[in-house]
Amino acid sequence: MRVLVIGSGGREHALLLGLADDPSVTELHVAPGNAGTAAIATNHGVDVASADEVVALARTVAVDLVVIGPEVPLVLGVADALRAAGFATFGPGADAARIEGSKAFAKDVMAAAGVRTAHAEVVDNPANLDAALDRFGPTWVVKDDGLAAGKGVVVTTDRAAARDHAAECLESGHPVLLESFLDGPEVSLFCLVDGETVVPLIPAQDHKRVGDGDAGPNTGGMGAYTPLPWLPEEVTARIVTEVVEPVAAEMVRRGCPFSGLLYAGLAIGEQGPAVVEFNCRFGDPETQAVLALLKSPLGQALNATATGTLADLPPLEWADGAAVVVVIAAENYPASPRTGDVITGAEGPGVLHAGTKRDAEGNIVSAGGRVLGIVGVGEDLAAARAQAYERVAGVKLPGSHHRTDIGLAALEGRISL
């Protein structure tokens, strides 16, 4: 099976590593890829937001399966174009990708499916903003009703900060979503979905804030760990039956069935799981940790989803132990990151590339905000953390920063339901 992966980040590097371990996968291609993916796949410099360019590449390399990593090509309908051209494609069409592309659409689907989520109001006129803000608080949740690479959400007890973010979104032409605050620890659960068939992966927890102790602004994710020692298996089962399956069934009912990876971001409060957000693709950086523990052949699972045969897939098998990923970010991320700095130690074990490229001299240099994801695996969370941070110490990038507390609260027993 020849596979083409679309994307350039750490998620795509993790997907390629998983596919490379599948005996049924004979050839790997990636577009556009990065300096790390070039070691295991053929990089192709195409515009992944262009359906025409992606379809042309799929034809040129005669692939059997296309796996779309990022949300932008999915929302723009690249999966639709690939399917129309006859390619098995892992990733939802544009109609189904609205579950991430429009938070208002996601709320409507959840309401129809009877899924618990935060109370929300859409504001599309600046004249209505102050009155709407007065109906929320003392903690405000303000979301850009569009794609924002994980950085379009502000959660704050400062009304002025909430208003500033909402006004900025409105000025850019995007409606904003105001939500009630959901209490409780957050969980990321990835599910393979093929119409109404749902196969969950193991739950993970992301660390969104830039600094230790969840300080500072939201980012695309600074690290993650799996499994979650504080989350009982029956709660994961409830997420599948009370959240993912009803949403999948509702999308089938609406004529936009979901095919691909449905990511449920949830808060686990006193009344059980409540949805914070849905994404229409593998999350980054949770994917890097989750796939590190997958024993089943990844290519076969993705192909079964893409070809409508997920119900026939054998149960997924997972390695014992735990996995942790720590993101090394460029100076000034999540604002305007500094790029072009030479990285040393970027080719060691467990180092997944996100924002990297080769310069004219052949050096690996930074080329984005989140530059590397460093994965550690061990018999338990403590061992996985130790390996991850030992590997972090072997990487040098001028001005870079990373969190030192990925998975620490869980390890110390500070997270409970």
Side-chain angles (χ1 to χ4, degrees), residues 132-213:
L133 284 167
D134 289 341
R135 290 190 284 273
F136 290 83
T139 299
W140 284 267
V141 181
V142 184
K143 296 183 176 181
D144 185 333
D145 187 32
L147 297 180
K151 292 177 280 187
V153 180
V154 164
V155 180
T156 180
T157 55
D158 182 341
R159 187 186 187 281
R163 191 187 192 287
D164 287 347
H165 181 63
E168 185 180 325
C169 293
L170 291 167
E171 285 170 15
S172 69
H174 293 179
V176 294
L177 205 68
L178 302 182
E179 286 190 351
S180 57
F181 177 67
L182 292 174
D183 205 2
E186 291 199 6
V187 173
S188 300
L189 184 66
F190 300 166
C191 293
L192 301 175
V193 176
D194 162 20
E196 294 194 40
T197 303
V198 174
V199 175
L201 280 60
I202 51 175
Q205 187 176 60
D206 187 12
H207 294 60
K208 280 286 188 189
R209 301 278 187 168
V210 71
D212 284 2

Side-chain angles (χ1 to χ4, degrees), residues 333-381:
Y333 178 79
S336 298
R338 194 175 84 187
T339 59
D341 290 306
V342 174
I343 309 165
T344 57
E347 296 174 280
V351 179
L352 301 188
H353 290 231
T356 67
K357 65 179 183 180
R358 295 269 183 186
D359 66 11
E361 287 75 46
N363 299 304
I364 296 176
V365 300
S366 57
R370 292 186 298 168
V371 182
L372 300 168
I374 314 301
V375 178
V377 176
E379 63 182 5
D380 55 24
L381 184 54

Side-chain angles (χ1 to χ4, degrees), residues 20-413:
D21 286 339
D22 184 335
S24 71
V25 176
T26 55
E27 200 173 297
L28 284 173
H29 298 266
V30 60
N34 58 45
T37 63
I40 54 172
T42 303
N43 286 7
H44 300 272
V46 306
D47 177 4
V48 300
S50 166
D52 289 344
E53 288 193 30
V54 174
V55 169
L57 174 61
R59 286 185 173 131
T60 298
V61 296
V63 295
D64 302 297
L65 173 67
V66 183
V67 179
I68 302 179
E71 62 274 22
V72 170
L74 292 168
V75 169
L76 292 177
V78 173
D80 297 301
L82 285 161
R83 288 193 181 98
F87 293 100
T89 303
F90 182 89
D95 269 359
R98 287 181 295 162
I99 197 78
E100 177 171 1
S102 169
K103 293 174 179 64
F105 173 79
K107 288 290 185 185
D108 190 52
V109 169
M110 284 185 275
V115 169
R116 290 186 63 245
T117 186
H119 166 68
E121 288 186 34
V122 177
V123 180
D124 56 10
N125 186 334
N128 301 330
L129 178 57
D130 284 304
L133 284 167
D134 289 341
R135 290 190 284 273
F136 290 83
T139 299
W140 284 267
V141 181
V142 184
K143 296 183 176 181
D144 185 333
D145 187 32
L147 297 180
K151 292 177 280 187
V153 180
V154 164
V155 180
T156 180
T157 55
D158 182 341
R159 187 186 187 281
R163 191 187 192 287
D164 287 347
H165 181 63
E168 185 180 325
C169 293
L170 291 167
E171 285 170 15
S172 69
H174 293 179
V176 294
L177 205 68
L178 302 182
E179 286 190 351
S180 57
F181 177 67
L182 292 174
D183 205 2
E186 291 199 6
V187 173
S188 300
L189 184 66
F190 300 166
C191 293
L192 301 175
V193 176
D194 162 20
E196 294 194 40
T197 303
V198 174
V199 175
L201 280 60
I202 51 175
Q205 187 176 60
D206 187 12
H207 294 60
K208 280 286 188 189
R209 301 278 187 168
V210 71
D212 284 2
D214 294 327
N218 270 339
T219 70
M222 293 298 294
Y225 67 97
T226 188
L228 310 182
W230 48 269
L231 187 72
E233 285 186 15
E234 57 266 27
V235 177
T236 302
R238 280 187 65 186
I239 294 169
V240 174
T241 58
E242 296 178 13
V243 175
V244 184
E245 289 179 345
V247 163
E250 173 62 18
M251 295 184 76
V252 169
R253 192 189 68 78
R254 290 176 178 230
C256 55
F258 195 96
S259 172
L261 193 291
L262 187 57
Y263 166 133
L266 311 110
I268 313 297
E270 287 185 9
Q271 297 179 335
V275 175
V276 175
E277 64 175 353
F278 278 110
N279 290 333
C280 64
R281 37 70 192 185
F282 278 101
D284 188 332
E286 298 101 314
T287 299
Q288 291 87 304
V290 170
L291 292 188
L293 296 182
L294 179 65
K295 291 173 66 177
S296 298
L298 177 62
Q300 293 176 35
L302 301 185
N303 191 59
T305 308
T307 56
T309 59
L310 183 60
D312 301 326
L313 186 74
L316 296 178
E317 294 184 17
W318 300 91
D320 294 332
V324 171
V325 58
V326 180
V327 170
I328 295 179
E331 183 175 344
N332 205 38
Y333 178 79
S336 298
R338 194 175 84 187
T339 59
D341 290 306
V342 174
I343 309 165
T344 57
E347 296 174 280
V351 179
L352 301 188
H353 290 231
T356 67
K357 65 179 183 180
R358 295 269 183 186
D359 66 11
E361 287 75 46
N363 299 304
I364 296 176
V365 300
S366 57
R370 292 186 298 168
V371 182
L372 300 168
I374 314 301
V375 178
V377 176
E379 63 182 5
D380 55 24
L381 184 54
R385 269 180 46 85
Q387 185 180 73
Y389 281 107
E390 181 182 344
R391 289 171 169 176
V392 167
V395 176
K396 305 301 177 189
L397 170 61
S400 67
H401 59 97
H402 64 273
R403 285 185 58 161
T404 66
D405 63 347
I406 303 301
L408 185 60
L411 180 62
E412 293 179 347

